[in-house]
Amino acid sequence: MTSAEEQGKGAEPLLEVQDLCRRYGEHVILDHVSFRIMPGDVVAVIGPSGCGKSTLIRSLNLLERAESGRILFHGRDLLTLSSREAAATIPRIGMVFQQFNLFDNMTVLRNVALAPEISGGLTRSQAEEKAMMLLERVGLAGRAGAYPSHLSGGQKQRVAIVRSLAMDPEIILFDEPTSALDPEMVQEVLALMRDLAQGGLTMMVVTHEMRFARNVSTRAMFVCDGGIRVDEPPERFFEDPPDPRLREFLTTAGMRG
Amino acid sequence: MFLNAARTALGAAGMGAGSVPCFYKEPVFRECRLFTLLPLLWALIFFCGCGQARDPCQPSSVEEIAGCRVGVQVGSTADQGATALLDRLGYADMLERFNSSPDAVTAMKQGKIDLVIVDHQPALEFLRKNPDLVILDFPFAQETFAGAVALERPDLLAEINQALIRAEEMGIPEKLRQTFVEHQGDYHYVQKNQGGAPLVMATNAQFPPYEYFEGGQVTGYEVELARAVADLMGRQLRIEEMEFDAVISAVAAGKADFAFAGLSVTEDRQKSVNFTRPLVTTRISVLARSGMAAASAGEEAERSLSQRFHDNFIEQDRWLFIARGLGITLLVAFLSTLCGFAGGFVLAVIRSWHDRNGGLAVPNFLAVIYINVIRGTPVMIQLLIIYYLIFAAVDVSKILVAVAAFGLNSAAYSAEIIRGGIMAVDRGQFEAGRTLGLSPFQIYRHIVLPQAVKKVLPALGNESISLLKETSISGYIGLADLTRGGVIIRSITYEAFMPLMAVALIYLILIGLMSFGVSRLERRLRRDER
Ligand SMILES: Nc1ncnc2c1ncn2[C@@H]1O[C@H](COP(=O)(O)OP(=O)(O)OP(=O)(O)O)[C@@H](O)[C@H]1O
Ligand SMILES: [Mg+2]
C-alpha cells in the first residue's frame, strides 16, 4: 500500500497511530485518527488552517496530550509509558518548529551540543565535536559562536534542524518549518530538508509548500474535519485528487505544481 | 512618633498649598501638577527653622496650659501627665508627641508648638544651650526615676538594689550629681571591671544630663551610676541605645537585663517591669520660648553655614555618627539584598514550576501564603515582629535582625519579579527542550532560568534600591544606621537642617550611583540582544 512497503524497506512500522482522539471542549480536533509511518517515509501533511495539523503532529511526541487512542513507536505505546521511559524515547522523535525555538541564551554550538551532552550521554567535547561536524554539513560552522538573535531566519531554522539531528532521531516532525521565513530564505531550508529526505531520513512535514510536497514526499495526507481524508502517493494526490474537498483546497491554494 | 512628625510636616505643607491659587481652579488642575512640588519645598523650609512664631503663650499655672500647643516626648511621664490633663480639660488635640524631647524643643523653636513639658534637669540643659527659652515658674509635677528590671528576674533586681545601696554608701550618686546636675567638679566614674559576664543596659541617650551622647559615647548621670553598679556586681556593662519607647519592652522581652533611661515610676510600667530603688528625684517643668524667640531665631539663621557645618559634623567628630551609620546601612542593604535575591529565586522557581509543570502543590501553597503575608504588611511591622517576637529570647546582633527582616521582605518582592521573568520565557523554549529529551529540571537550569534572570536583572536592581531606602527604619530596633546617625546629631545640636540634608544627600548619591548602574546594565543587556 504505502510506498515504503512497496519498496520493501521493512515490514515493521516505525510509528503507528490508532484511534487518536483530541478535543478542546466541544470542539473535536482529532476524531479517531489512524495511520502508520514506515521507515524512510516522507509524509507531507496538508490541510486548511485550524484543521488540527499541529495538534496531530504535536500529539506524536506528547507535546499535546491525546485523550484516547494509541501511539505505537516501534510497537510500544507512548501514551502508557512512565515519564522516565517517555523521556528516553521522545528524543528519538525529533521536532522542528515554525518559530525555530532556538535557546536564546546559548550560542549556535551550545544549542546543538546541549542535549547530546546532558541527556545523550556524550562528554562536552564529544558533543561539541559532533555539533561542529553537523554544522559543517549544513554550511553553518562559521556561525558556531553566534547567538540566535544574530542569525537570519533561514539560518535559525537550519540550526534548529541540526539541533534535532544531533540526537540521532529516527524520525523528525516538522510543523510548518518555512511559514515564518521571509520568501528568499524558504529555499535554503527546503533544500536541506530535501537532502535529508534523500539521505533516507523518515520525516513528517506539515507544510503549505505544495511544490515541496509534490516533489519530495513519498506520501501526502489531507487533514480536514477531524480526520485524515486522503493519504496517497503525491502523484495521485496532486494530479488526480480523490476527494472533492481536497480538489477545492488545491484550487484555492493556487496549487502550482 | 513618626506620625506626629508627619503631621507637623503635613500641616506646614498645607500652609504652603494654601498660597498656590491654581489649586482651587478645577480646569487648570492638570497644568498645576508641577506646582504640587512647591508646598513640599515650603514644608522643607518651614522644617529648617524659618517658621514664624505665633502669639506667645505663657501660662502661669498648670490649668492655663489649656489652649497652648504642647509638645512631649512620646511615652514619657510628661506625656502621661499632659495627656491626662489635656483630656480632662478637653484640649487633647493640642498635644503633640515627639520621638525625643530634643525633637520637641526643635519644633518649639520653629514655632510649631508653644510649650514643651519635660523633666527639670533636661529642661535646664536645654536652657543652657538655648538662651531663647525659659522654664516657667510652676512645676508641672513631681517625679522619681528608677531603673527597670524584667518581672521574671527578682534576683537581678535585688542584686542591682544592693549595688545601688553600696554606691550610695560610697557617695557615688552625690558626686555624679555634682558633676552632671550642678556642673561643679568633674568627678567621673570609669568602669574598672573589664571582664565578667556582660550586663546589658537599655537606654535612650537623648535625655541630658541623665543619658546623652558626648564624643560619640553614651554618658550621663544614670549611665555612670550604671557603670558603678556593674562594677559592684562584678559585671561588664554593655549599653544598648534605642528609641525611648522601645526601652521598657526591650527589658520586658529580655533583650536587655535592665534599663536606666530616666524612667519615672508609674503604675502602667509596673505591670511590665519591676523598678529599682529611686535613682533621681526631680520635678517635671514647662519650657517655653522667651520674648527673644524671634530675634534669636534670626540670629540662628545668620550664623554662617561653615559655623553650622562645624557644629554639626566637625565638633566632637560628630560626622562619625554619619560615617559609621553609612557603613551599617550599606552592610545591611547589601546582605539583605543578597538574602532577598536568593530567597526570591527559590520562591519564584517553586511558584513557576507549579504553574508550568504542575506538582509542588504544598510548597507552592506555602510560598503563596508567605508572599501575600509579606506584601500585605508594612516592613516596619515585620522588623519589629522579628526583633521583639522571633528573636525575643535570643541575643543576636541587630545587624542580623535587620538583615533577616529586610531579606525576608525583599524575598517576597523579588520572588514576584523573578517569577514574572520565568513566565515571560517563551513556551517554545520549554517545548524545544522537551522534544530533545531534557528533563524539566534541566530545562529550568540550562535554558529558562538564565533567560529569566537576564530579563529581570534591572528590575532586581530597582528592588535593591527600594530596599536601601527601606533600611532607614532600622533605628526602630536601635540599629545606628545612616538615618539614625542624622537623628542623633540633630538631638545633640538641635538643628534639623544640616544633619537631615547631609543624610538625604548621602542617600541621594548612593541611589544615584545604583540607578546609574542599573541603567547601564539595562543598556548592555539590550545591546546583547541585537
Ligand atoms: N489550547 C487550545 N484551546 C482551545 N482550542 C484550541 C487550542 N489549541 C488549538 N485549538 C483549536 O484547535 C484547532 C486546531 O488547531 P491546530 O493548531 O492544530 O490547527 P492547524 O491545522 O495547525 O492550524 P494552522 O494552519 O493555523 O497552524 C483550531 O481550531 C484551534 O482553534
Ligand atoms: Mg499549526
Side-chain angles (χ1 to χ4, degrees):
Chain A
M1 276 192 305
T2 68
S3 54
E5 269 169 318
E6 279 157 20
Q7 287 162 25
K9 272 186 183 168
E12 285 280 295
L14 181 60
L15 195 69
E16 178 164 9
V17 173
Q18 298 174 348
D19 286 327
L20 205 62
C21 293
R22 172 75 212 225
R23 71 178 73 205
Y24 290 115
E26 292 291 282
H27 189 178
V28 179
I29 311 296
L30 303 179
D31 184 10
H32 297 279
V33 170
S34 300
F35 64 92
R36 12 161 80 183
I37 294 178
M38 307 305 289
D41 275 357
V42 176
V43 182
V45 181
I46 287 162
S49 186
C51 67
K53 305 183 296 295
S54 295
T55 308
L56 173 63
I57 206 170
R58 286 161 56 86
S59 299
L60 301 185
N61 59 7
L62 310 185
L63 285 182
E64 301 279 346
R65 263 284 161 192
E67 276 131 24
S68 64
R70 310 213 297 162
I71 302 168
L72 302 171
F73 183 69
H74 286 300
R76 293 179 72 203
D77 187 358
L78 297 183
L79 294 176
T80 61
L81 293 183
S82 71
S83 60
R84 184 183 298 268
E85 289 169 318
T89 312
I90 292 302
R92 321 233 28 93
I93 305 173
M95 177 100 183
V96 172
F97 301 85
Q98 181 175 347
Q99 299 297 339
F100 327 124
N101 293 346
L102 292 183
F103 304 134
D104 297 332
N105 57 319
M106 296 176 199
T107 61
V108 165
L109 183 69
R110 293 304 304 155
N111 259 279
V112 179
L114 179 73
E117 182 190 329
I118 67 176
S119 86
L122 300 190
T123 66
R124 191 180 179 112
S125 61
Q126 284 170 335
E128 294 192 344
E129 205 173 302
K130 180 176 188 182
M132 235 17 226
M133 198 190 73
L134 287 165
L135 286 169
E136 249 159 53
R137 244 174 60 187
V138 301
L140 282 172
R143 308 307 318 262
Y147 280 86
S149 52
H150 295 252
L151 300 181
S152 74
Q155 290 174 328
K156 281 185 201 170
Q157 196 59 299
R158 285 188 288 148
V159 171
I161 292 171
V162 164
R163 181 176 66 176
S164 74
L165 283 174
M167 291 302 282
D168 301 321
E170 295 174 54
I171 176 173
I172 299 187
L173 312 172
F174 293 80
D175 191 359
E176 303 198 26
T178 57
S179 297
L181 295 179
D182 292 337
E184 70 269 21
M185 293 171 182
V186 170
Q187 288 313 318
E188 66 183 71
V189 172
L190 291 181
L192 172 57
M193 290 168 64
R194 184 181 302 117
D195 288 349
L196 293 175
Q198 278 160 6
L201 182 70
T202 311
M203 296 166 43
M204 186 165 183
V205 186
V206 176
T207 186
H208 294 294
E209 293 294 332
M210 299 302 170
R211 193 193 304 263
F212 176 84
R214 170 79 177 76
N215 297 341
V216 179
S217 72
T218 60
R219 284 160 64 190
M221 286 181 180
F222 180 58
V223 179
C224 186
D225 277 347
I228 299 172
R229 296 274 151 257
V230 179
D231 181 355
E232 294 289 343
E235 302 77 27
R236 174 97 206 274
F237 188 96
F238 288 101
E239 251 100 274
D240 181 18
D243 183 284
R245 306 270 300 272
L246 174 57
R247 266 199 297 281
E248 190 186 328
F249 177 76
L250 289 176
T251 324
T252 47
M255 172 47 201
R256 302 166 292 261
Chain B
M1 312 191 285
F2 269 12
L3 243 177
N4 285 284
R7 232 166 47 198
T8 32
L10 272 178
M15 266 183 257
S19 9
V20 180
C22 54
F23 253 68
Y24 301 105
K25 294 184 196 152
E26 276 294 313
V28 286
F29 184 75
R30 200 176 286 266
E31 286 94 295
C32 294
R33 274 282 162 75
L34 258 183
F35 287 99
T36 50
L37 284 177
L38 266 174
L40 284 179
L41 199 70
W42 291 10
L44 204 68
I45 292 168
F46 270 93
F47 207 62
C48 300
C50 314
Q52 291 219 313
R54 292 210 317 196
D55 311 332
C57 154
Q58 298 215 340
S60 53
S61 76
V62 171
E63 304 284 308
E64 284 174 34
I65 286 173
C68 298
R69 293 168 303 168
V70 178
V72 292
Q73 171 174 325
V74 65
S76 65
T77 326
D79 181 4
Q80 289 164 13
T83 304
L85 176 73
L86 293 176
D87 270 354
R88 182 160 58 79
L89 300 176
Y91 283 92
D93 58 336
M94 299 297 273
L95 183 65
E96 294 203 16
R97 298 178 179 82
F98 291 83
N99 234 350
S100 67
S101 35
D103 285 352
V105 170
T106 308
M108 180 166 70
K109 289 179 66 177
Q110 293 170 357
K112 295 197 186 89
I113 52 175
D114 304 312
L115 305 174
V116 173
I117 302 181
V118 63
D119 293 293
H120 190 63
Q121 290 309 327
L124 288 173
E125 291 292 320
F126 289 131
L127 210 58
R128 222 156 52 82
K129 293 188 184 169
N130 301 277
D132 52 329
L133 301 182
V134 290
I135 293 180
L136 303 187
D137 297 336
F138 59 93
F140 183 77
Q142 298 294 332
E143 71 168 338
T144 303
F145 297 158
V149 180
L151 290 175
E152 304 82 48
R153 303 180 67 181
D155 298 354
L156 180 64
L157 178 70
E159 258 188 274
I160 292 178
N161 276 334
Q162 253 163 24
L164 279 172
I165 293 174
R166 289 216 5 238
E168 281 160 27
E169 287 164 1
M170 292 158 72
I172 294 173
E174 181 48 35
K175 283 187 268 182
L176 287 176
R177 213 182 64 81
Q178 290 291 328
T179 307
F180 286 102
V181 179
E182 310 288 342
H183 298 289
Q184 287 166 6
D186 63 348
Y187 174 83
H188 282 282
Y189 191 89
V190 181
Q191 179 154 25
K192 296 161 189 96
N193 201 350
Q194 296 306 324
L199 184 68
V200 180
M201 174 174 100
T203 194
N204 170 253
Q206 305 199 353
F207 195 55
Y210 301 111
E211 36 270 313
Y212 57 97
F213 277 107
E214 197 170 274
Q217 299 294 314
V218 180
T219 185
Y221 170 88
E222 289 189 345
V223 175
E224 297 205 353
L225 186 53
R227 292 191 202 286
V229 165
D231 255 353
L232 291 168
M233 290 168 65
R235 307 280 291 269
Q236 192 189 347
L237 188 70
R238 221 178 76 202
I239 298 175
E240 293 269 349
E241 206 273 333
M242 59 189 71
E243 296 290 337
F244 180 72
D245 52 349
V247 167
I248 295 265
S249 45
V251 171
K255 295 261 147 205
D257 294 313
F258 73 109
F260 280 9
L263 295 169
S264 41
V265 181
T266 66
E267 271 180 33
D268 272 345
R269 287 177 182 162
Q270 272 166 330
K271 287 175 200 152
S272 17
V273 289
N274 280 326
F275 280 101
T276 63
R277 299 169 56 76
L279 306 175
V280 176
T281 310
T282 181
R283 59 175 252 201
I284 299 177
S285 294
V286 182
L287 267 175
R289 281 186 305 272
S290 68
M292 324 231 320
S296 101
E299 245 166 59
E300 175 87 5
E302 272 164 33
R303 274 175 57 216
S304 74
L305 274 178
S306 68
Q307 180 62 37
R308 287 162 66 191
F309 185 85
H310 184 271
D311 285 357
N312 278 290
F313 304 120
I314 312 295
E315 177 95 24
Q316 291 186 355
D317 284 341
R318 282 174 190 148
W319 60 274
L320 277 175
F321 287 115
I322 287 187
R324 289 198 199 112
L326 174 62
I328 287 183
T329 289
L330 287 176
L331 184 67
V332 168
F334 178 72
L335 292 180
S336 46
T337 298
L338 285 188
C339 293
F341 287 180
F345 191 79
V346 172
L347 289 169
V349 167
I350 291 173
R351 296 274 290 109
S352 65
W353 186 284
H354 174 79
D355 291 355
R356 273 236 143 108
N357 303 319
L360 294 184
V362 175
N364 179 61
F365 178 73
L366 296 177
V368 169
I369 291 191
Y370 176 81
I371 290 169
N372 283 315
V373 166
I374 294 289
R375 303 213 311 172
T377 50
V379 60
M380 166 92 176
I381 303 295
Q382 292 161 13
L383 179 69
L384 294 178
I385 288 177
I386 287 181
Y387 185 58
Y388 286 112
L389 301 182
I390 298 183
F391 285 125
V394 216
D395 182 30
V396 292
S397 127
K398 283 179 182 163
I399 293 188
L400 214 72
V401 173
V403 167
F406 294 116
L408 289 172
N409 179 270
S410 175
Y413 288 90
S414 306
E416 291 300 281
I417 294 173
I418 297 172
R419 185 169 83 100
I422 293 174
M423 297 314 275
V425 173
D426 190 73
R427 269 203 91 76
Q429 301 279 313
F430 284 83
E431 292 185 342
R434 275 178 57 192
T435 59
L436 290 167
L438 306 186
S439 67
F441 175 78
Q442 289 170 328
I443 295 174
Y444 255 71
R445 175 162 164 231
H446 295 279
I447 300 159
V448 176
L449 293 182
Q451 292 185 34
V453 166
K454 203 173 134 181
K455 278 183 210 293
V456 300
L457 269 181
L460 288 180
N462 289 328
E463 164 63 18
S464 69
I465 288 176
S466 333
L467 192 63
L468 175 79
K469 284 185 278 188
E470 269 169 11
T471 61
S472 64
I473 60 169
S474 301
Y476 269 83
I477 59 165
L479 188 60
D481 73 329
L482 177 56
T483 299
R484 188 146 173 85
V487 169
I488 291 173
I489 294 181
R490 189 163 58 101
S491 76
I492 299 172
T493 62
Y494 306 107
E495 198 199 316
F497 183 80
M498 283 274 172
L500 291 185
M501 282 299 152
V503 167
L505 197 67
I506 293 174
Y507 277 113
L508 194 65
I509 291 170
L510 284 180
I511 285 160
L513 288 174
M514 288 169 79
S515 308
F516 178 71
V518 167
S519 64
R520 278 201 47 169
L521 182 72
E522 255 177 330
R523 257 204 316 265
R524 245 199 66 192
L525 292 178
R526 222 175 307 140
R527 202 181 53 215
D528 282 357
E529 260 163 35
R530 317 251 151 245

